[in-house]
Amino acid sequence: MSHSEEPRAIEVVAPGANPSAGVELLAVPVRPGQVLAQRAAALDAELSGPLSRLVEAGFSAKAGETRLFFSGLAETPHLLAVGVGEGEGLDAENARRVAGKAVQVGRIHSLVTVGVEIPPLSEEDVPAVAQAAAEGLCLGDWAYEDLRRPGSERVSPPAPQSGVIFLGSGQPASAGDAAGRGRTIAECQNFARMLVTLPGNIATPSYLEERAQELGERYGLRVEGWGPERLRSEGFGSLLAVAAGSRVEPRFIVLEHQGTGGAPTVLVGKGVTFDSGGISIKPASGMEDMKYDMAGAAAVLGAMRAVAELDLPLRVIGLIPATENLPSGTALKPGDVIRGLSGTSIEVINTDAEGRLILSDALAFATRLEPAAIVDLATLTGACVVALGRHAMGLMASDDALAKALKSAGERTGERVWRLPLWPEYRRQLDSDIADIKNSGGRDAGTITAGWFLRDFVDETPWVHLDMAGVAWAEKVGPYQPKGATGAGVRLLVEWLSSAD
Ligand code: BES
Ligand code: MN
Ligand code: ZN
């Protein structure tokens, strides 16, 4: 899908039935030595057995390995064997990957309809796998090309218009609902990808506010955006201190889904629309990537849209502190002592540790809402990329049950998180000689000291911090992931919110 295209139609087809239109490409999961499919097996028999011969000939079926055939059949002219590695059956993540590959290859070959085979599964596994397949069908070939000249040869071919999920077992009705859910969530993830892709001169704090207002009108969320004046009167001193270096105005964006009411669950997303480092300026090389320093905000906007579209039965509030971080004659300086909403005095050691400053105001505000839980997402530390690479978010928490719930949502969605300790010993690295706390704890355990800084602002509220610095941006293409913005966090948050009791 590209940003400007219509959402893809997703059809779920019962075991043995035919789709409303033929599929031009059928993706078939393959394990070493084994084709995981019935429909494909029937097709294979009709032909001269290309899939079975592929397997006999030693197609390794390693995860991600693919082979495309031209079948010559009018019904299903292309067969795509997709390796899923060793194991049993097909889990949700495999289904997402096979479906993602199907649309990627479909798009390259300008195909209109692609399908994915789901092997027979036990009844209770069908909905999650169908949902994941729909997600893969909507995520796999996403591209943002609205900033190129229309018709330029660098614009990719039109995306497949529809995706078909062929069930090997299970109830098509419940799988259809699950696939619809998957499509909604994936569209919200693509929305987050779009926001993260947009450069700093377009996706400014007020642009994020406009997109939030639009979500409010379309999906029925209550939305507010506070500018500098309101921030001053409310006492958001830390957000204003980071914004002081830029002519672009900061915003504090609030989105609320009323749901069934009660104590809210609060999502907080770091919205630094460009992070130059400020006076503690970053090296020039790679600085352009710091447009993605608002990926936490994008995840919250995407998740809030999904919460509203799915009308989840709970009250959810999204909070986004948004600003640029630039150096200038009016900018925050190293050594400055600032005070935000909580009243805690903060010694600014490094103006490049700006995320925790703006989050401290948002978290202090969140705790005043007496929430059931707070989850914040932020591209907070380079140290997290060093620690976990591109394969997991770093999780820090004040509450074990909440940490566990997010960890398990991470396993179900393929958006893994890994917990790091907040032992009291680390807190000492933030002791200041002049103020209540300093904003940098030095190089050692940089992700944990950033987490500890945030913890000072949430008091006793159950809270989880997710450092998404490593997963917000992909250096290379994945099975359902283009290079660049990932939209990380949307599936994770929606799954966690849907499973909370
Ligand atoms: N936005 C960066 C963190 C980041 C780095 C995200 C690389 C994605 C990729 C954050 O504002 C930052 O600059 N953090 C500093 C903290 C340090 C000054 C204590 C860092 O990680 O170096
Ligand atoms: Mn920074
Ligand atoms: Zn930053």
Side-chain angles (χ1 to χ4, degrees):
M1 297 302 298
S2 102
H3 163 60
S4 42
E5 282 154 1
E6 282 295 297
R8 178 160 297 147
I10 303 290
E11 187 183 355
V12 175
V13 172
N18 282 320
S20 54
V23 288
E24 290 175 284
L25 177 145
L26 180 65
V28 184
V30 182
R31 296 235 181 245
Q34 186 192 6
V35 178
L36 293 181
Q38 293 173 322
R39 175 176 293 264
L43 275 173
D44 202 37
E46 204 176 313
L47 302 163
S48 47
L51 283 172
S52 36
R53 277 189 288 123
L54 176 70
V55 168
E56 279 158 29
F59 176 64
S60 82
K62 277 197 199 114
E65 199 185 353
T66 58
R67 201 74 66 89
L68 179 65
F69 301 90
F70 189 68
S71 75
L73 296 175
E75 270 286 279
T76 313
H78 301 85
L79 287 176
L80 181 70
V82 184
V84 293
E86 302 279 356
E88 290 293 316
L90 193 77
D91 64 14
E93 177 63 11
N94 280 322
R96 202 177 284 112
R97 291 181 182 181
V98 174
K101 282 280 184 192
V103 287
Q104 275 172 15
V105 173
R107 184 166 194 153
I108 290 166
H109 297 281
S110 296
L111 306 178
V112 179
T113 308
V114 304
V116 47
E117 273 242 56
I118 306 297
L121 304 166
S122 67
E123 187 76 40
E124 72 268 18
D125 293 336
V126 172
V129 171
Q131 177 181 330
E135 289 168 359
L137 286 171
C138 296
L139 294 170
D141 62 331
W142 183 84
Y144 185 82
E145 290 171 326
D146 292 5
L147 296 178
R148 294 197 208 278
R149 240 186 245 287
S152 126
E153 57 188 34
R154 304 224 44 199
V155 173
S156 17
Q161 283 161 18
S162 68
V164 182
I165 299 166
F166 293 100
L167 296 180
S169 63
Q171 294 303 320
S174 72
D177 288 351
R181 221 181 111 77
R183 185 177 93 139
T184 300
I185 294 167
E187 292 300 332
C188 293
Q189 182 172 346
N190 284 338
F191 171 66
R193 285 173 170 179
M194 190 251 329
L195 296 174
V196 174
T197 303
L198 288 175
N201 64 325
I202 297 177
T204 58
S206 54
Y207 177 90
L208 295 182
E209 186 204 335
E210 285 164 27
R211 295 287 79 78
Q213 298 285 6
E214 214 168 77
L215 294 185
E217 283 154 31
R218 284 199 196 152
Y219 306 106
L221 293 160
R222 187 183 68 79
V223 177
E224 281 182 41
W226 298 353
E229 233 167 87
R230 180 79 188 263
L231 292 171
R232 232 178 322 271
S233 69
E234 298 279 347
F236 281 55
S238 297
L239 175 55
L240 286 166
V242 174
S246 173
R247 292 174 56 171
V248 165
E249 286 187 357
R251 286 289 183 278
F252 184 64
I253 306 165
V254 182
L255 306 95
E256 178 172 8
H257 169 73
Q258 190 48 51
T260 44
T265 298
V266 181
L267 310 177
V268 180
K270 172 180 174 182
V272 174
T273 57
F274 184 73
D275 182 13
S276 71
I279 296 292
S280 315
I281 198 160
K282 291 179 181 292
S285 157
M287 201 201 272
E288 68 279 10
D289 285 348
M290 279 299 115
K291 68 175 183 178
Y292 79 75
D293 212 17
M294 37 58 74
V300 169
L301 287 167
M304 289 305 297
R305 174 175 149 184
V307 163
E309 279 196 68
L310 301 170
D311 196 16
L312 295 190
L314 72 175
R315 183 169 168 225
V316 188
I317 296 178
L319 301 177
I320 295 168
T323 179
E324 291 189 329
N325 184 25
L326 293 186
S328 80
T330 56
L332 181 67
K333 303 178 295 299
D336 286 358
V337 174
I338 62 173
R339 223 183 267 277
L341 191 60
S342 73
T344 299
S345 62
I346 304 166
E347 182 189 8
V348 178
I349 299 297
N350 191 318
T351 65
D352 199 9
E354 84 297 340
R356 64 197 75 182
L357 296 177
I358 69 169
L359 288 169
S360 70
D361 274 349
L363 292 171
F365 181 83
T367 56
R368 295 185 178 181
L369 303 170
E370 298 182 356
I374 304 175
V375 175
D376 79 71
L377 297 94
T379 46
L380 205 62
T381 65
C384 193
V385 192
V386 175
L388 297 172
R390 315 242 156 229
H391 304 291
M393 297 189 195
L395 180 150
M396 283 136 276
S398 65
D399 184 281
D400 292 345
L402 193 56
K404 263 179 90 176
L406 275 142
K407 187 163 199 291
S408 106
E411 278 151 19
R412 293 196 298 277
T413 53
E415 291 207 285
R416 285 181 295 193
V417 303
W418 194 256
R419 190 171 183 180
L420 301 172
L422 289 180
W423 293 319
E425 287 81 355
Y426 292 111
R427 174 62 180 77
R428 286 183 216 136
Q429 288 174 240
L430 297 176
D431 287 347
S432 163
D433 292 335
I434 185 168
D436 295 324
I437 194 168
K438 58 184 183 181
N439 80 330
S440 167
R443 278 172 56 87
D444 290 7
T447 303
I448 293 175
T449 53
W452 248 119
F453 182 93
L454 300 178
R455 189 178 183 169
D456 257 46
F457 298 85
V458 293
D459 298 328
E460 300 304 306
T461 312
W463 157 82
V464 157
H465 160 56
L466 296 168
D467 192 329
M468 62 184 309
V471 299
W473 194 257
E475 302 288 344
K476 50 186 207 296
V477 180
Y480 51 87
Q481 174 59 54
K483 238 171 108 165
T486 60
V490 175
R491 296 203 313 276
L492 175 70
L493 289 174
V494 176
E495 175 65 23
W496 168 63
L497 290 167
S498 306
S499 60
D501 39 280

